[in-house]
Amino acid sequence: MARMNRSSRSLQFSGYRIRFSRLVTLSLVVIAPLVLLIYPRIARLEAPAVYAIRDVQIVTGAGKTIAKGTVVFRDGLITGVGENVKIPADARVIDGAGMTVYPGLIDGFTSLGLPAPATPAPAAGGRQAALATASAGQQPTPEQAHGDPSLSAADQVKPGGSTIEDARAAGVAAALTSPRQGIFPGQSAVINLAGDDPSKLVVRAPVALTIQFSVSAGFSGQYPGSLMGTVAFIRQTFYDAIRYRDEVERYRRVKRGIERSAHNKKLAALQPALRGEMPVLFVANSDGDIRRALMIADEFKLKPIIAGALYGYRVVDMLKARSVPVILSLDFPKRSADLPEDEEEPLRVLRARAEIPKGAAQLARAGVKFAFTSGTLRPQDFVANVRKAVENGLSKDDAVRALTMNAAEILGAGDQLGSVEVGKIANLVVTSGDLLAKETKVKHLFIDGLEIDLKKAETSPQRVGPGGRQGAGAVGAVDPSGEWSLTVDTPGGEQTARLSIQKEGDQITGTLSTPVGNVNIDTGSMNGNEIRLTATIDMGGQSVQATLTGTIEGDSIKGAVVMGSTGSFSFTGSRTPRGGDNEN
C-alpha cells in the first residue's frame, strides 16, 4: 500500500511536471518573439558573428581588384581576403556571384550622430510673440558665437536616427563628425554608423580641431560680425593660447614665488594643435578663405586640413606645395529651380557651375590627397555627385579611393578603415555592380562585421501626414503651406526663425521672420518634397539674398539656408498644427 501511495504521488508529481513544462514552453513561445522585437539590435551587435562572402568581385581600396574571391570576417575584423580563402564551418555564407564588395564608404565631414537642435515650441500669442521671445532671450552669448575648442564630438555622439539610416542606405559606413557651433566648434571624431552604445560608435577621437570662417551677422549680430573680424579673432585666440602655454610652463619650472595661472580649458584644448599633434580642420570653400586658412596655419605652424574647398582647384598648386589634404564638398551649385527657362544667369555663376565639378579631377592630377564630404546633400545624392565628378574627368579608381582609403588616411584611421584587408574593421558595402554605375544598388552593408538593415527609401509606400498632407515617399508634390518653427544652427549658436508659407497652384508666397526682422519671400518652388525659397534680407544697410532649401517629411523639415557670402547654416523645423497658433 505504501508503495502504491508513493507511486500515485510520483504519477501526480510527474503530471504536474508535464503541465509545468508545457506552461514554460508555451510562455517561451509567446515571450521569445517579444524579446526579439524589443532587443533585436542589442542581440545583433553583441553576439559573435562570422561571415563569408564568396564568389564576389573584391575592390580592396588598396589598389588591387580580385575578380572572384572570398572575404571572411569574424567578431568585427576581416580575417581572410583572396581567391582561395577557406570558409569556416560556422560562417554564415553569402553568395556574392555577380556582386562587388568595396570598403565601407566614409563621409569626410558631417555632424552625423550629434544631437540635432531641439525645435522650440511656438510661443503663446502667435508669430509676433515668438519673434519677440527670440529677440529678447535667445540671442547667443559671445561665448556661444566664439565656440568652445574643448568640446568633443566623441562625448556628444548618440546612436540611431533617420539621418544615419539614410547615410547607411547609400553605403556610408563611417564618417567624421564635428560640432558646428561657433568659430572654434570643438574636436571631431571618426564614428561607425552603427551601435547601441555611444562608446561603440567612436573609432578614433579626437581627430582634428575644427575652425570655421563663417559669421552669423544675419541672425545674431555678435562680434565678430565680419570675415576680417573672424580672422583677427582666430589669430588672437592662438596668441592667447601661446601666452597661456608659456605661463604654465614657467610656473612648472619655477613654482615658488610665482602666481599660478588659472586653468583655462579652451586655451588648453588648443595646445595639441600648436604642438602639431592634432590637425586643424578649416572649413573654407572660397579660394580666398583657403588662402587665409593656410596663412594662419603657416603663422602658428599648424597641420591644416581644408574641408569644403569648392574653389580649391584655383589654389591647387598651393595645396600641393604644402601637402595639405582636402575634404572636398560634393554639394555642387545648380541652377535655381524657380528661374524661368528664358532667364539668363550671370557669367560668373555659369562658369562656377561648369568648373566646380571638375575640381576633383584637378586635385587628383596635381597629386593633392582628397576625400569627399556630402555637405548639405541628401545621402542618395552623395554617390550620384561622385559619379558627376567622374563624368568631369576624375578616374573611377581615384573616386573610389577618395571615398575609402584616402578618407581613412586623412582622418588618421588608415590602419583601421578604408580597405578590404586582413586585420581591419569589417566595414564593407556589397553592391549589385560597379559602385559608380547609375543603376547599381547597395545589396548588403556590414559595419563592425554586423549586417545592417538597410532603409529602402526607393520602395517606401506613399504616406499621408496630418491634414491629408503627403509625407516622405509620396509620389506627388508636398503642400508646404502652414506656419513653421525653425531652429538655425549658426556659428553664433542656435537661432529661432518663423516661416509662414502659402501655396496657391504653383505659386508660393509667405514671410520669413527672424530676430532681426521680417521679410517677404521673393520666390518659391517645390520639387516633390523638396522646397526652395529666396528672400532679400537687409544686413546693416546691405541687401543679402537668403536661399533656403529643405526636405519636408510630414510636418518636419530640415535643410540649409545660405546667406550670400556670410555662409551656409543647417536648420531643422516643424509645422504648427492647424489651430495651434493663436494670431493677435
Side-chain angles (χ1 to χ4, degrees):
M1 179 66 70
R3 284 197 302 269
M4 290 180 62
N5 288 338
R6 284 197 298 270
S7 175
S8 175
R9 286 196 298 269
S10 176
L11 287 172
Q12 291 175 0
F13 183 68
S14 175
Y16 170 77
R17 283 189 301 177
I18 292 172
R19 289 193 300 273
F20 180 75
S21 176
R22 288 174 178 171
L23 179 61
V24 170
T25 302
L26 179 61
S27 299
L28 288 175
V29 169
V30 173
I31 294 172
L34 296 177
V35 173
L36 291 175
L37 285 173
I38 297 171
Y39 297 107
R41 296 179 64 199
I42 293 177
R44 201 165 57 237
L45 289 170
E46 291 185 352
V50 54
Y51 286 86
I53 308 173
R54 70 181 182 190
D55 298 334
V56 67
Q57 178 174 259
I58 306 168
V59 178
T60 64
K64 181 181 180 182
T65 297
I66 301 171
K68 186 178 181 180
T70 299
V71 180
V72 177
F73 44 101
R74 181 188 293 274
D75 295 338
L77 298 176
I78 299 172
T79 57
V81 180
E83 296 176 346
N84 301 303
V85 173
K86 183 178 179 180
I87 298 177
D90 57 341
R92 176 186 168 186
V93 179
I94 295 175
D95 184 2
M99 295 189 285
T100 305
V101 60
Y102 294 86
L105 308 186
I106 302 173
D107 195 335
F109 182 59
T110 73
S111 55
L112 288 171
L114 298 181
T119 303
R127 292 192 302 273
Q128 296 302 321
L131 177 61
T133 300
S135 300
Q138 297 192 19
Q139 292 291 332
T141 64
E143 289 74 18
Q144 290 173 322
H146 299 164
D148 184 350
S150 69
L151 290 179
S152 170
D155 294 336
Q156 302 177 31
V157 70
K158 302 290 183 185
S162 60
T163 306
I164 284 181
E165 290 179 358
D166 290 340
R168 294 192 306 221
V172 178
L176 180 76
T177 189
S178 171
R180 294 295 182 92
Q181 181 172 302
I183 297 170
F184 287 89
Q187 301 171 22
S188 55
V190 173
I191 63 169
N192 273 345
L193 302 188
D196 287 321
D197 188 292
S199 64
K200 294 183 179 179
L201 274 67
V202 177
V203 175
R204 183 173 184 267
V207 172
L209 173 71
T210 302
I211 294 180
Q212 304 180 130
F213 284 115
S214 58
V215 293
S216 56
F219 288 96
S220 64
Q222 294 286 357
Y223 170 79
S226 69
L227 177 57
M228 291 301 99
T230 299
V231 172
F233 176 79
I234 293 170
R235 294 178 65 243
Q236 185 58 56
T237 301
F238 276 114
Y239 277 119
D240 291 344
I242 291 172
R243 186 174 63 253
Y244 174 77
R245 176 198 66 193
D246 292 344
E247 290 175 353
V248 171
E249 288 300 320
R250 181 167 176 254
Y251 179 78
R252 286 176 179 172
R253 290 195 310 269
V254 181
K255 289 189 176 66
R256 291 189 179 184
I258 296 178
E259 183 179 357
R260 184 181 74 255
S261 297
H263 177 70
N264 187 314
K265 68 173 184 176
K266 294 182 180 180
L267 297 181
L270 298 178
Q271 301 308 314
L274 287 171
R275 292 193 298 266
E277 298 169 358
M278 181 188 298
V280 177
L281 189 150
F282 290 92
V283 182
N285 273 306
S286 71
D287 51 323
D289 280 352
I290 294 172
R291 293 178 188 274
R292 293 179 186 97
L294 298 181
M295 176 197 71
I296 293 171
D298 289 345
E299 183 176 3
F300 296 100
K301 296 180 174 57
L302 309 174
K303 293 173 60 177
I305 300 172
I306 304 298
L310 282 175
Y311 292 90
Y313 61 91
R314 294 179 177 175
V315 291
V316 65
D317 293 339
M318 184 179 293
L319 293 167
K320 173 59 178 176
R322 289 169 168 78
S323 299
V324 176
V326 170
I327 301 174
L328 183 64
S329 174
L330 292 169
D331 200 355
F332 300 145
K334 297 180 293 186
R335 179 181 173 86
S336 300
D338 53 298
L339 282 179
E341 291 184 5
D342 58 349
E343 183 172 333
E344 295 184 356
E345 296 178 279
L347 181 60
R348 60 177 177 80
V349 174
L350 295 173
R351 183 180 294 116
R353 191 182 308 144
E355 289 179 350
I356 287 175
K358 300 176 182 178
Q362 295 187 44
L363 292 175
R365 284 194 295 270
V368 175
K369 180 176 284 190
F370 67 95
F372 288 125
T373 170
S374 58
T376 59
L377 287 173
R378 300 177 306 167
Q380 54 264 45
D381 293 331
F382 184 34
V383 174
N385 276 19
V386 175
R387 186 164 57 246
K388 187 172 183 179
V390 170
E391 293 168 356
N392 280 272
L394 182 66
S395 73
K396 285 188 176 182
D397 287 344
D398 285 336
V400 171
R401 190 169 182 86
L403 286 166
T404 56
M405 197 63 200
N406 275 6
E409 290 176 347
I410 290 172
L411 303 178
D415 57 344
Q416 300 168 282
L417 304 173
S419 63
V420 187
E421 295 181 277
V422 172
K424 288 198 172 183
I425 295 172
N427 283 6
L428 305 168
V429 57
V430 184
T431 63
S432 60
D434 184 341
L435 175 68
L436 299 178
K438 188 174 182 179
E439 66 279 2
T440 296
K441 303 293 183 184
V442 174
K443 306 298 289 185
H444 303 275
L445 179 67
F446 296 89
I447 300 178
D448 272 323
L450 296 168
E451 188 165 12
I452 302 301
D453 295 328
L454 294 175
K455 181 179 179 180
K456 298 296 190 296
E458 69 275 10
T459 59
S460 295
Q462 179 171 327
R463 298 198 299 271
V464 178
R469 293 187 286 266
Q470 292 174 322
V475 176
V478 169
D479 183 1
S481 301
E483 305 295 326
W484 296 84
S485 297
L486 307 182
T487 298
V488 185
D489 188 13
T490 79
E494 296 174 7
Q495 299 296 310
T496 59
R498 193 77 171 169
L499 185 61
S500 177
I501 302 176
Q502 297 84 41
K503 184 175 185 296
E504 295 183 5
D506 293 333
Q507 185 177 11
I508 295 178
T509 59
T511 57
L512 175 65
S513 302
T514 76
V516 295
N518 302 345
V519 294
N520 292 325
I521 293 172
D522 296 332
T523 62
S525 63
M526 290 294 303
N527 182 12
N529 67 335
E530 296 179 7
I531 188 169
R532 187 179 190 278
L533 306 172
T534 64
T536 303
I537 296 178
D538 183 3
M539 292 172 54
Q542 180 181 1
S543 294
V544 175
Q545 186 181 59
T547 302
L548 180 148
T549 57
T551 302
I552 297 174
E553 295 190 0
D555 288 320
S556 298
I557 186 172
K558 62 182 178 180
V561 56
V562 178
M563 299 285 294
S565 60
T566 301
S568 176
F569 314 102
S570 61
F571 72 86
T572 58
S574 62
R575 177 161 33 195
T576 303
R578 297 182 186 278
D581 189 15
N582 300 319
E583 300 291 339
N584 286 336

